Every structure is written in structure tokens, then in C-alpha cells.
Amino acid sequence: MRAAVVTAFGGPEVVRIVETEVPEPTAGQIRIKVAAAALNPVDAVVRSGAVGGDGVRLGLGWDAAGTVDATGPGSDWAVGDAVVALHHGVLKTALGTHAEYVVVDATAVAAAPKTVDAVHASTLPLNALTAAQALDLLDLSPGQTLLVTGAAGAVGGYAVQLAAHQGIQVTALAGEADEQLVTELGAARFAVRGSAATPHDAVLDAAVVGTPALEWVRDQGAYTGVVTQAEPAPVRGIRTATVSVAADGARLAELTALLDAGTLTTRVAETFSLDAATRAHARLAEGGVRGRLVLLP
């Protein structure tokens, strides 16, 4: 089968398509025939060499939508089931979801949403789970206030929608051109990126603003970032943390149900064939992408 990998690190040009054996599921695992796999900024982080070292082959891709192709012992999934999954072990394996087939733990899998195709479904797992688990860390109640930085991005957009669904009053911090978008996502208020914002009960920092974002949190409030172990030092009694996304099939099933109910929406910017993975990485590096780029094996 074909898969996108890196064996040396750098820009988009280091992404290679290789021929490799189809992986086999073991106990508690399933194999997915990948129909679509989102390209995320974390793939650029892996590609650039922030993890691993030269000579180590690393697979790319965290999200997958497709059909179950094979199952190991102890799995409740059946061949032919339409599924979505988060492949959380990508930083430790030679194969990710940017491949024709991927093996994942059965507990990381949920039934595919019924209201969107595989291309759109593939944009849900990593970004929506990150947003949901970040909100868990903030532990806000209905009526409390939340500022979401990077609200027009994938994680930020899901955070706005999920928080609004929970009855939280959301202020979206984004570029001026994104006001209509984030308002449609459910933000009660809008703040232009680079402007001052009044203190909120919490900040979900999807744009990785870091320490300056604490100015937008009230005393004894909460801050959660999206870069693991990169939270700013606490001040004024503010709780600071970062989310380390965990594969969770049960939670992913809740999110697909919200997608089918219309509470969550997916955004696809462009699709690329797997063979064009280098071009997709180059487009991601250009910036300004609204929605996810998706690879089609």
C-alpha cells in the first residue's frame, strides 16, 4: 500500500510517498481502509522535526474516515462498518492515517456521521476532540464567559460551537474578516485579533497567544492552551493548563451525534490525492486556510 512518511525533516519537500506492507490488526485493534484523512498543523510539526530524529521513519496523519477492513480479536466492529477515528500513536509509529490503510485501537473509533461524506467526516476527530477536552479542563458552567482565540480556525471553531451549545457566553477573537463566520458558529461577542478584550472567566487559547492571553482572564479564572506542556505560568490565581488530546471513541461518538444534529459543522478547504501530499503540505505552509485540507488515498 501507499503511505505518506518522513525520514528526514524540513519543509513540504521532505514528504515522501512509499510502498509498504498493509498493517495487520492485533487484539483490540481494527484496520481501516482510509477514504479520507485530514491534514493538520501537527503534521507540519512532525514533518519539521520537532519530534524524532533523522533516519527515523514517521508516519503522518491523525484523522481517518473510511470503512473497517479487518478486525483483531476482541473488537466489536465488523468489516464494512463506516467509521471515523483518531490515530493517537502517530508520533511513535512508521504509519499514520495518510495511507491507504491504518490500524487503530478499537476504542479510538466511532461510527461515521450520517449527514456528511467521508471527506468532511475526516476533519472531525482531532480538532473536535481537542476542543472538547480543552473545555473539560476549563470546567465552565452555563452563563460563564469564555474567550476563544483563533476562533475561526478548526479547533477554535469547534470550541465556539461546543461552548455555545453548553450555554457558555463565548467571545470569539479572530481576524476582522472572520466576524460573520464566528458569529454563525455561535459566538455571542466578537473581538478583533490584536485588540484588547475585557476579562473573562476563562480563555481557550487555540491561537497559541500564550502569556499575553492571561490579561483576558479574570482573577481566579482559567486558561487552557493547545500546545502540550507549554502553558504560561499562573498569575492572579488563574489556573493554567494545556490539553493533550486523547483518543476516545465514546466521546467521538458524542461529537458525531452533534454533527448529525447540526450543532457542529465541518469545513473543508480543499482536497488532494495522497500522491499530492507534498503539494498539500505546501498549501498548509502558505497559511490563510479556512477549513481543513484533506488527502484522498
Side-chain angles (χ1 to χ4, degrees), residues 135-151:
L135 287 170
D136 290 347
L137 290 173
L138 293 172
D139 192 25
L140 296 173
S141 300
Q144 288 192 283
T145 58
L146 170 69
L147 179 84
V148 177
T149 73

Side-chain angles (χ1 to χ4, degrees), residues 9-16 47 278 281:
F9 302 112
E13 71 281 353
V14 303
V15 177
R16 299 174 52 210
R47 185 203 72 220
T278 299
H281 276 256

Side-chain angles (χ1 to χ4, degrees), residues 62 86 88 108 125-126 129-130 133 243-249 251-252:
W62 294 59
L86 174 64
H88 189 259
L126 176 62
L129 280 171
T130 299
Q133 292 169 11
V243 61
S244 180
V245 66
D248 184 340
R251 191 68 177 279
L252 184 55

Side-chain angles (χ1 to χ4, degrees), residues 41-105:
V42 68
D43 294 304
V45 171
V46 173
R47 185 203 72 220
S48 67
V51 296
D54 286 338
V56 176
R57 191 178 91 173
L58 292 175
L60 299 169
W62 294 59
D63 292 309
T67 54
V68 177
D69 173 73
T71 64
S75 167
D76 293 332
W77 296 98
V79 172
D81 286 344
V83 295
V84 289
L86 174 64
H87 179 43
H88 189 259
V90 68
L91 299 183
K92 303 175 183 177
T93 64
L95 294 173
T97 65
H98 295 171
E100 292 180 291
Y101 297 89
V102 66
V103 167
V104 297
D105 290 340

Side-chain angles (χ1 to χ4, degrees), residues 181-277:
L181 168 63
V182 296
T183 299
E184 291 173 350
L185 292 175
R189 300 178 184 84
F190 174 72
V192 178
R193 190 169 51 216
S195 67
T198 57
H200 292 68
D201 292 313
V203 165
L204 196 163
D205 189 14
V208 198
V209 174
T211 299
L214 297 181
E215 297 179 10
W216 306 323
V217 184
R218 65 165 175 80
D219 293 355
Q220 313 300 318
Y223 166 101
T224 292
V226 296
V227 178
T228 304
Q229 298 181 339
E231 65 267 30
V235 296
R236 296 184 285 108
I238 296 171
R239 292 185 292 111
T240 64
T242 54
V243 61
S244 180
V245 66
D248 184 340
R251 191 68 177 279
L252 184 55
E254 295 174 4
L255 295 168
T256 61
L258 289 174
L259 176 58
D260 282 337
T263 302
L264 298 180
T265 56
T266 59
R267 291 178 287 158
V268 174
E270 192 174 351
T271 61
F272 295 82
S273 70
L274 180 62
D275 291 334

